[in-house]
Amino acid sequence: MKKSTMADPFAQVRKEKGFATVSDQDDPVTMMLRLKDVRKCAHNAKTFSSEDIPGRIVVPSEVNIRTTRQIPFEVDPPKHKGFRGLLDPWFKRPLENEYKQKLHSIVDKLVTENLAGNSVEVINEFSLVLQSRALTLLLNTPFEDSIQWISWGTHVFRSEGDALDGDKAQVLYDYLDEKLDQALANPTDDLFSVLLGAEVDGKKMSKEEAKGVLILTFAGGRDTVINAVSNSIAYLADHPESLKRLRDEPEIRGKAIEEFIRYFSPLTHMGRVVKEDTQVCEHAAKADSRISLCWASANRDETVFENPNEIVLDRKMNPHVGFGFSHHNCLGATHARQILSTLIDVLCDKVGSIDLLETEDNIEEWDDFHRKVGYEKLVVKFNPK
């Protein structure tokens, strides 16, 4: 088995029952495993709500490390629509030519630097660096800000050996408070200032609401982007014929990126809180219990995807939910896609092959389900064309 292979731990239970219950800090979660059920529940905000105690819909729950509501992530319709209406134009900026050019420069420089060396540890020395530098574009802040963000490591809520680390999370909260205070005193054209000057449904956005958007931006798009970038590099190292095909057939690169997102599913699942007694998969779900929308399982649903456990670079029908589904589809999806698209372009242009030297898997454990989400350590060598 190749080192980049990511098995599907949910397959048997998905086929037999369609759901599974796992523990989470004395607040158990019923996982939806089939694509049709995941999509149905994601679309039904009235019964399956995102607007509960801040942090409760996240799996593992973050109620013990934050009280700020992440916006628009933890807001239900109709309020959700006003926030998305404000934020979507800003988060669609990666489609603009100037943004693309700046991102290309960032990626090109990073790849070129690493072509000169014998090896690179991808997680901390490449993917984290790329994610942090690219974030300066999304926030419209100075490039030098990325140095501090890189120092935080791959996850702003977690440290080595801890699923959740309140002290580490406080570093982010203090940073955002400071930046928002600076923006109040001296507004610029960065996202901090834009949020504080914005109105939603005729009401000026509060500092707490702006902080909620920024926590989501920093935390939600960090380890997920790092996983997507690292897993893509590992796959191309393991499958040199795929790198060659992407080089020779640029027209399939867009489909390949969607396939990477489906197969890797950088985020395993996301929760909802049940608002009224109901049934899911013919299983009773009590009000105030939690379910999760298991994107990783839904993206391997064999009733929907042909050869679901294989990467098919030019997969034609690919209704994956790697970026979520319905009104809560990922706010940063355009930015993430542009990072992957630019990375693939630069690798095809400059890299002849990638040697896979050392790997250490990053395994999430949900009771009996053990899922590889990426790597704790990934060492490769980029070989120039």
Side-chain angles (χ1 to χ4, degrees), residues 50-325:
S50 298
E51 195 165 338
D52 199 79
I53 302 169
R56 193 176 178 214
I57 67 166
V58 187
V59 188
S61 169
E62 295 173 357
V63 295
N64 293 323
I65 64 169
R66 66 177 169 92
T67 58
T68 298
R69 182 175 303 281
Q70 291 186 4
I71 294 175
F73 174 61
E74 294 178 312
V75 180
D76 284 334
K79 289 188 293 183
H80 175 270
K81 183 178 181 181
F83 287 110
R84 281 300 292 242
L86 166 69
L87 296 169
D88 276 344
W90 183 276
F91 282 81
K92 297 291 186 185
R93 288 165 44 253
L95 297 175
E96 299 172 0
N97 285 333
E98 183 180 0
Y99 194 109
K100 290 180 181 180
Q101 291 168 7
K102 290 179 179 178
L103 181 59
H104 188 277
S105 295
I106 288 173
V107 177
D108 187 86
K109 184 174 186 292
L110 186 60
V111 171
T112 301
E113 288 171 351
N114 285 287
L115 274 170
N118 290 325
S119 66
V120 57
E121 198 289 297
V122 173
I123 307 304
N124 292 286
E125 297 174 6
F126 189 95
S127 299
L128 171 60
V129 174
L130 173 54
Q131 185 276 332
S132 298
R133 290 178 179 176
L135 187 60
T136 65
L137 295 180
L138 188 62
L139 270 62
N140 202 28
T141 59
F143 183 81
E144 293 72 26
D145 287 0
S146 63
I147 297 171
Q148 183 172 3
W149 306 340
I150 291 167
S151 74
W152 294 342
T154 56
H155 200 294
V156 295
F157 288 158
R158 301 175 191 175
S159 57
E160 188 173 351
D162 291 310
L164 296 170
D165 186 339
D167 291 337
K168 187 171 185 183
Q170 193 62 47
V171 172
L172 173 63
Y173 305 152
D174 291 344
Y175 173 83
L176 294 179
D177 283 333
E178 179 182 353
K179 297 294 287 187
L180 287 167
D181 287 342
Q182 291 174 1
L184 281 169
N186 297 291
T188 64
D189 56 354
D190 62 17
L191 182 58
F192 301 95
S193 303
V194 168
L195 292 174
L196 291 172
E199 290 187 356
V200 177
D201 296 330
K203 181 183 176 184
K204 189 172 182 179
M205 184 175 282
S206 68
K207 179 183 174 182
E208 183 72 4
E209 289 171 333
K211 186 177 178 181
V213 174
L214 291 161
I215 291 174
L216 176 62
T217 304
F218 272 90
R222 194 170 185 82
D223 56 334
T224 49
V225 169
I226 290 168
N227 285 340
V229 168
S230 303
N231 291 338
S232 299
I233 290 173
Y235 174 80
L236 294 173
D238 243 355
H239 298 82
E241 74 284 355
S242 293
L243 180 58
K244 182 180 185 303
R245 187 178 177 196
L246 290 172
R247 183 184 301 115
D248 295 342
E249 301 177 52
E251 68 275 9
I252 71 168
R253 292 177 192 174
K255 289 181 180 178
I257 288 164
E258 297 306 314
E259 180 70 343
F260 288 162
I261 294 298
R262 179 197 70 84
Y263 182 82
F264 300 135
S265 293
L267 182 66
T268 300
H269 53 172
M270 185 52 62
R272 297 288 188 268
V273 175
V274 181
K275 287 301 181 183
E276 56 191 20
D277 289 353
T278 188
Q279 283 195 333
V280 287
C281 306
E282 301 178 356
H283 169 70
K286 292 291 186 181
D288 200 43
S289 66
R290 291 197 297 163
I291 68 165
S292 85
L293 313 173
C294 189
W295 318 119
S297 173
N299 283 339
R300 300 290 186 96
D301 192 330
E302 56 285 323
T303 67
V304 178
F305 302 99
E306 186 177 358
N307 301 319
N309 296 312
E310 298 177 14
I311 287 184
V312 181
L313 292 177
D314 59 351
R315 187 180 292 273
K316 293 173 177 59
M317 298 297 292
N318 196 354
H320 73 77
V321 287
F323 287 119
F325 181 72

Side-chain angles (χ1 to χ4, degrees), residues 39-49 276 278 326-327:
R39 289 164 63 106
K40 183 177 179 180
C41 293
H43 196 62
N44 184 1
K46 181 176 181 293
T47 304
F48 305 105
S49 173
E276 56 191 20
T278 188
S326 193
H327 48 278

